[in-house]
């Protein structure tokens, strides 16, 4: 692969990918495919489904390249696509977790399908957990998870070190994992995947 392409920033690659440059897409793929694979393997547990997930996620990224915004995080978009794909794959393991949007004709007789309304209820519950974090930790968590800022950006904005930011995130995740585990009737792998994407 062209070393010059490998040195380009994500926004620079996205501009070229939007124009249909396959070598730029290859550079982006090489940059993030291992990350997507390991996250997929973490939830799907087997290598073959994880490899298929990588192909599906990057294929969708390429097919939707015209909608990419160089001003927004391409990595964030890629990981959200991966998350959505994995949620759908996990949903196939049980009718309770079927998607109302992708299988609307099949869920008529199913018990408690998880749809956007249910996820919004889970989000409200988790939001209470986030709100109970110490003020600075909550701020760091929201900046990282909701505003897609990286550790360096958060540290600069808050006038603290990258290590302190990382410590806040680790403690926030530890607390929220415990909080999630105490929510009755919620399958942990699905909820952590949906809300606590790592």
């Amino acid at each position: 692969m062209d070393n010059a392409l490998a040195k380009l920033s994500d926004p620079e690659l996205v501009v070229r990918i939007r124009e249909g440059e396959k070598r730029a897409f290859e550079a982006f793929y090489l940059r993030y495919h291992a990350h997507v694979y390991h996250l997929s393997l973490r939830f799907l547990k087997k290598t073959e489904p994880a490899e298929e997930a990588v192909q599906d996620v990057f294929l969708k990224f390429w097919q939707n390249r015209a909608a990419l915004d160089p001003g927004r995080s391409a990595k964030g978009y890629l990981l959200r696509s991966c998350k959505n794909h994995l949620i759908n794959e996990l949903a196939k393991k049980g009718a309770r977790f079927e998607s109302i949007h992708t299988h609307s004709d099949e869920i008529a007789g199913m018990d408690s399908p998880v749809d956007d309304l249910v996820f919004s209820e889970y989000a409200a519950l988790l939001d209470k957990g986030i709100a109970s974090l110490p003020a600075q930790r909550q701020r760091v968590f929201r900046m990282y998870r909701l505003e897609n800022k990286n550790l360096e950006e958060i540290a600069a904005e808050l006038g603290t070190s990258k290590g302190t930011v990382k410590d806040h995130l680790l403690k926030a995740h530890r607390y929220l994992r415990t909080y999630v585990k105490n929510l009755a009737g919620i399958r942990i792998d699905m909820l952590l995947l949906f809300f606590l994407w790592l």
Side-chain angles (χ1 to χ4, degrees):
M1 192 194 72
D2 190 338
N3 286 334
L5 283 174
K7 294 177 182 178
L8 293 179
S9 66
D10 283 359
E12 290 170 323
L13 286 176
V14 166
V15 169
R16 297 187 180 208
I17 292 170
R18 277 172 55 92
E19 295 171 353
E21 187 176 324
K22 292 183 178 179
R23 292 174 65 203
F25 175 69
E26 178 188 357
F28 186 81
Y29 175 87
L30 291 174
R31 185 172 295 175
Y32 292 117
H33 82 281
H35 193 56
V36 173
Y37 172 75
H38 288 298
L39 289 171
S40 299
L41 184 62
R42 176 181 175 185
F43 289 97
L44 298 179
K45 310 299 183 187
K46 296 181 179 179
T47 57
E48 187 174 343
E51 290 167 356
E52 291 175 358
V54 172
Q55 297 305 314
D56 290 341
V57 168
F58 277 99
L59 177 61
K60 182 177 180 181
F61 187 91
W62 175 255
Q63 291 172 335
N64 295 331
R65 63 189 179 279
L68 295 174
D69 181 354
R72 297 181 67 84
S73 170
K75 178 183 178 182
Y77 175 85
L78 181 72
L79 293 181
R80 282 191 297 274
S81 295
C82 184
K83 177 193 72 174
N84 292 335
H85 178 82
L86 294 177
I87 286 173
N88 286 334
E89 290 301 304
L90 288 172
K92 294 174 184 177
K93 295 182 178 180
R96 185 180 174 208
F97 294 94
E98 287 291 345
S99 166
I100 195 170
H101 296 297
T102 56
H103 299 287
S104 57
D105 293 334
E106 300 173 17
I107 65 171
M110 293 179 181
D111 295 329
S112 302
V114 172
D115 57 14
D116 286 347
L117 176 61
V118 176
F119 273 128
S120 70
E121 291 173 356
Y122 289 170
L125 288 171
L126 188 64
D127 196 54
K128 291 180 181 178
I130 295 170
S132 68
L133 291 168
Q136 187 77 337
R137 190 162 301 156
Q138 180 183 157
R139 187 177 179 192
V140 168
F141 182 86
R142 292 186 183 279
M143 291 171 74
Y144 187 75
R145 290 294 174 211
L146 305 180
E147 299 174 26
N148 291 321
K149 294 183 178 179
N150 60 39
L151 300 183
E152 291 82 2
E153 291 171 331
I154 297 171
E157 187 169 332
L158 298 182
T160 188
S161 70
K162 181 179 172 182
T164 298
V165 170
K166 188 173 182 179
D167 183 62
H168 275 303
L169 288 172
L170 290 173
K171 288 178 179 176
H173 281 127
R174 190 177 303 124
Y175 170 80
L176 291 171
R177 283 177 183 275
T178 301
Y179 178 87
V180 166
K181 288 177 183 178
N182 291 330
L183 297 179
I186 299 177
R187 209 172 86 187
I188 294 301
D189 59 352
M190 285 289 289
L191 198 60
L192 290 179
L193 176 59
F194 193 80
F195 293 115
L196 301 181
W197 189 246
L198 298 175

